Amino acid sequence: MSRAPRKDGIANREKILVAALRTLQRDVTAPMAVVAQEAGVGAGTLYRHFRDRNDLLAALQVRSISMVLALVEEILSRDLSGIDAVHEFLVRTVRHGPDLFLSYHGAPKTSDPEYLRLEKGVWDGVHEFVVHGIADGTLRADLTAHDVIIFGSLIAVPLPGVDDWPAVAGRQIDLFLAAARAG
Amino acid sequence: MSRAPRKDGIANREKILVAALRTLQRDVTAPMAVVAQEAGVGAGTLYRHFRDRNDLLAALQVRSISMVLALVEEILSRDLSGIDAVHEFLVRTVRHGPDLFLSYHGAPKTSDPEYLRLEKGVWDGVHEFVVHGIADGTLRADLTAHDVIIFGSLIAVPLPGVDDWPAVAGRQIDLFLAAARAG
DNA sequence: GCTTAAACGGACGATATTCTCCGGTATGGT
DNA sequence: ACCATACCGGAGAATATCGTCCGTTTAAGC
C-alpha cells in the first residue's frame, strides 16, 4: 500500500502555485529561483513538484481554466435569463483576473490534454448561455458563444499600466452588453 | 563637421528592427543572438545600434506608437463623421497589428519620454473623434476617448491561438460600434 | 517512540544569454 | 585614388539560469 501524502508536501505545492502566479503574472520571464524564493522553498522542492518550467506554466493554466469552468457551471446551475448569464460570466471572469494565468500573459498556450478538456467545457457552457438567451429573447439572434468567449478573454487580463481595471473592464462589459441585447 | 551617415549603417538598423519585430512578436524571450541572425547581422552590429535588450524593446514600442499616431492624424485630416472616424481607427489599428509591438506582447511598457509624448498624441486625436462624433449626433453622448482607446488596445494584438484575427476582431468592432452608436 | 519512506534545501555542474573587444572592411569626403 | 572614420562580424569573457544530486529533516504507520 502507498502511504498517505505528507501534508508539508501538499502545503508546499500550494505555496509554490500561489507564488508562481503572483510572480509570473508580473513578469513571465522571472527565473525559477525567484519563484522558489517567493514561495519560501528551496529550488529542489520547486523542481520536485514541477518537472521543469513548462510544467509549472502548464499547471497554472490548468488551474486557471478550471476556475473559469467552475464559475460557468455555477452560473448554469442558477436559472438566469440569457443576458444575465452572460453578464455574470463576464463580470466574474474579470473579478477572477488576479487569480488567472492564461496564455495572454505571454506564456505559450499549453497543449496539456486536461487543459483542452476543461477549455471545451467552458466553451460548451457559454454556448448554452447564448442559445438559451436567444430563445428567451434577451440576446440578439446572431450572437455566438465565440463572440462572448473572445470578448471575455480580452478583458480577463488587465491591460498593463491601467489603474482600476475592474472599473474599466466593467465599462467595456456594459458596452458589450448594450450591443448583445436583443432589439 | 560630422559626416553623412553610412548607408550600410542605416540599412542594418532597419533590418534589425524588422527582424526584431517578427522574432519578438512570436516570442518576447527570444535571445538577442536570434534577432541578430534573423536580421543577418553580427551580434556586435546589433549592440552598436541598440545599447542593450531594453533599448531594442523601447525602440520597437516607439516605432509602433508612432505608426498609430500617423494613422490617427491621417483620419483626422479627412472629414469623417464621428462614428466613421472611430470605425476607421479601430479597423486600421487591427490591420496594423502585424507591425505593432506594444507592451501587451509581454515586454514591460517603456518609459521613454518620446513614447509617452506620442501616446498622448494618440489620446488627443481620439478625443477629437469622439467629441466631434457626439456633436454631430453619430455617437452616444456618454462615450469617451478612454472607452475607444481601451477597446482599441484590446483588439490591437491578436489573442494567441486564434485563427484569422482580422475577421474575429472585425466582429468585435461591429459589436462595439453597435453599442457606441447614438440612439 | 521507532522505523522508514517521503520531502526538504541549497550547493553545484551544465548550459544559455548577454554584451564587449578588436582586427578587418566598406563608405564618404576631397 | 586615397585617407580617415564609421561600421562590420564573430570569438569569447562575464554573467545568469536551469535542473540535479545528496546529506539532512520531517511526517506517516505501527
Side-chain angles (χ1 to χ4, degrees):
Chain A
M1 285 302 294
S2 65
R3 297 217 297 211
R6 281 176 50 165
K7 60 184 173 193
D8 55 349
I10 294 170
N12 274 337
R13 177 173 232 280
E14 194 59 25
K15 282 199 290 182
I16 290 169
L17 283 169
V18 170
L21 178 69
R22 267 192 327 179
T23 306
L24 299 177
Q25 256 187 358
R26 184 153 22 96
D27 173 13
V28 206
T29 72
M32 294 294 264
V34 171
V35 173
Q37 187 166 8
E38 286 277 319
V41 304
T45 301
L46 174 49
Y47 280 99
R48 204 167 307 107
H49 285 287
F50 303 97
R51 189 185 333 289
D52 57 21
R53 180 171 242 279
N54 274 348
D55 193 35
L56 176 59
L57 293 175
L60 287 174
Q61 290 181 46
V62 169
R63 179 169 244 243
S64 297
I65 197 72
S66 73
M67 291 181 69
V68 174
L69 178 56
L71 168 173
V72 166
E73 289 180 337
E74 201 276 330
I75 293 174
L76 278 173
S77 77
R78 293 194 267 158
D79 198 44
L80 300 174
S81 69
I83 196 157
D84 286 347
V86 170
H87 181 255
E88 274 296 288
F89 169 67
L90 294 173
V91 166
R92 297 184 57 178
T93 297
V94 169
R95 203 174 291 149
H96 274 280
D99 304 325
L100 300 181
F101 181 86
L102 298 166
S103 59
Y104 337 127
H105 278 103
K109 181 170 166 177
T110 178
S111 55
D112 183 321
E114 177 70 359
Y115 178 89
L116 298 174
R117 195 180 63 73
L118 295 165
E119 189 183 41
K120 181 171 187 320
V122 170
W123 249 88
D124 292 346
V126 172
H127 182 70
E128 211 166 308
F129 297 163
V130 171
V131 168
H132 179 242
I134 292 172
D136 73 13
T138 57
L139 294 174
R140 60 193 268 180
D142 70 346
L143 194 74
T144 67
H146 190 246
D147 294 335
V148 175
I149 291 198
I150 294 287
F151 182 76
S153 301
L154 289 174
I155 60 172
V157 174
L159 219 43
V162 175
D163 296 340
D164 196 7
W165 182 248
V168 172
R171 168 66 169 164
Q172 294 288 325
I173 290 173
D174 289 345
L175 291 171
F176 180 85
L177 288 176
R181 182 168 274 121
Chain B
M1 283 301 294
S2 64
R3 296 215 300 209
R6 280 174 51 165
K7 59 185 174 191
D8 56 348
I10 295 171
N12 275 337
R13 190 191 168 80
E14 193 59 23
K15 283 199 289 181
I16 290 169
L17 283 169
V18 170
L21 177 69
R22 268 191 326 177
T23 306
L24 299 177
Q25 256 187 357
R26 185 155 19 97
D27 174 13
V28 206
T29 71
M32 295 294 265
V34 171
V35 173
Q37 186 165 10
E38 285 278 319
V41 303
T45 302
L46 174 49
Y47 280 97
R48 205 166 308 107
H49 284 287
F50 302 97
R51 188 186 335 288
D52 58 22
R53 181 171 240 282
N54 274 347
D55 192 35
L56 176 59
L57 293 175
L60 286 174
Q61 290 181 46
V62 168
R63 180 169 243 245
S64 298
I65 197 74
S66 74
M67 290 182 69
V68 174
L69 178 55
L71 168 172
V72 166
E73 288 180 339
E74 200 276 330
I75 293 174
L76 278 174
S77 78
R78 293 194 265 159
D79 198 44
L80 301 174
S81 69
I83 195 156
D84 286 347
V86 170
H87 181 254
E88 274 296 288
F89 170 67
L90 294 173
V91 167
R92 297 184 58 179
T93 298
V94 169
R95 203 174 290 148
H96 271 81
D99 304 325
L100 300 181
F101 182 87
L102 297 166
S103 59
Y104 337 128
H105 279 102
K109 180 169 166 177
T110 179
S111 55
D112 183 320
E114 177 69 358
Y115 179 90
L116 298 174
R117 196 179 62 75
L118 294 165
E119 190 183 41
K120 181 168 187 321
V122 170
W123 247 89
D124 291 346
V126 172
H127 182 69
E128 212 166 307
F129 297 163
V130 172
V131 167
H132 179 240
I134 291 171
D136 72 15
T138 57
L139 294 175
R140 60 193 268 182
D142 70 345
L143 194 74
T144 66
H146 190 247
D147 294 335
V148 175
I149 291 199
I150 293 288
F151 182 76
S153 302
L154 289 175
I155 60 172
V157 174
L159 218 44
V162 175
D163 297 340
D164 197 7
W165 182 247
V168 172
R171 168 66 169 164
Q172 295 288 326
I173 290 173
D174 289 344
L175 291 171
F176 182 85
L177 288 176
R181 183 166 274 120

